[in-house]
Amino acid sequence: MVEAGQNALNGAQFNWLLDKRLEEKRMQFELENTALDNHLCFALYVTSRAVQRLYNPMLKELGLTYPQYLVLVSLYDQSPMTVNEIGRLLDLESGTLTPLLKRMEGQGFLSRTRMQDDERVVQVNILPAGRDKREEAMTLPKMLTDQSGLSDDEWANLFTLTTKLFNNISE
């Protein structure tokens, strides 16, 4: 039998050793997870870029950019909307959104009207040409789901989890 204090660890020594090993494991975990491939933000970023690359050939044929497509989808679902509402929905700043909407107005896709009761508020309406353009792009989401290789359940889970993540980390 080993006498206390000889070769056996006492409680304080055991706790110190355990803390040290846990700290080493934590540091190892942090080092392993600093690689770019281990960052969820990177996986989400490159996936978003891949979706845009998938959509780009058809969008180019339609004469649309990806942000313009998103604006048309938004307005097709709910028109009119204010510039601020579109900005919140698409997570775009006014400085980015205003020139985009101005170009789309010039293309005849939408109209922008200042509200009479508050001229700071600009209301955006989809026009028939914008509605037609949106309808021409209706196959894009199906193209993505077909290319994804995900089952219906996996697709639903992915959508649910990414929406939950967005909501949890957003304001």
Side-chain angles (χ1 to χ4, degrees), residues 52-77:
Q52 290 178 49
R53 277 192 306 278
L54 178 67
Y55 282 10
N56 273 341
M58 184 172 191
L59 290 175
K60 192 171 185 174
E61 282 180 32
L62 296 172
L64 294 173
T65 64
Y66 186 66
Q68 288 174 325
Y69 164 72
L70 295 177
V71 168
L72 289 179
V73 170
S74 303
L75 290 171
Y76 189 87
D77 291 339

Side-chain angles (χ1 to χ4, degrees), residues 5 15 17 22 27 39 58 60-61 66 76 99 115 121 140:
N15 287 337
L17 186 58
L22 288 173
M27 289 175 63
H39 288 260
M58 184 172 191
K60 192 171 185 174
E61 282 180 32
Y66 186 66
Y76 189 87
M115 301 299 292
V121 178
L140 285 173

Side-chain angles (χ1 to χ4, degrees), residues 4-133:
Q6 289 183 344
N7 290 331
L9 295 176
N10 67 30
Q13 290 171 324
F14 177 77
N15 287 337
W16 177 84
L17 186 58
L18 182 62
D19 287 345
K20 184 175 179 181
R21 287 191 179 155
L22 288 173
E23 180 64 17
E24 288 171 358
K25 288 288 185 191
R26 186 189 62 76
M27 289 175 63
Q28 180 182 358
F29 176 80
E30 287 179 5
L31 286 174
E32 290 171 358
N33 286 296
T34 58
L36 190 57
D37 288 346
N38 293 329
H39 288 260
L40 177 62
C41 61
F42 180 67
L44 293 170
Y45 171 76
V46 295
T47 301
S48 176
R49 300 281 299 145
V51 169
Q52 290 178 49
R53 277 192 306 278
L54 178 67
Y55 282 10
N56 273 341
M58 184 172 191
L59 290 175
K60 192 171 185 174
E61 282 180 32
L62 296 172
L64 294 173
T65 64
Y66 186 66
Q68 288 174 325
Y69 164 72
L70 295 177
V71 168
L72 289 179
V73 170
S74 303
L75 290 171
Y76 189 87
D77 291 339
Q78 180 184 332
S79 184
M81 294 176 75
T82 66
V83 171
N84 286 342
E85 290 170 334
I86 296 170
R88 270 194 308 276
L89 182 65
L90 301 181
D91 198 27
L92 293 174
E93 299 292 326
S94 178
T96 301
L97 190 55
T98 299
L100 175 71
L101 295 175
K102 188 174 182 179
R103 280 192 309 275
M104 293 178 76
E105 184 176 38
Q107 293 172 296
F109 296 145
L110 55 86
S111 65
R112 296 178 304 147
T113 309
R114 291 202 177 274
M115 301 299 292
Q116 288 183 352
D117 58 333
D118 187 349
E119 290 193 5
R120 296 171 298 173
V121 178
V122 177
Q123 189 174 49
V124 182
N125 285 288
I126 193 167
L127 297 176
R131 188 169 294 286
D132 292 345
K133 192 63 74 170

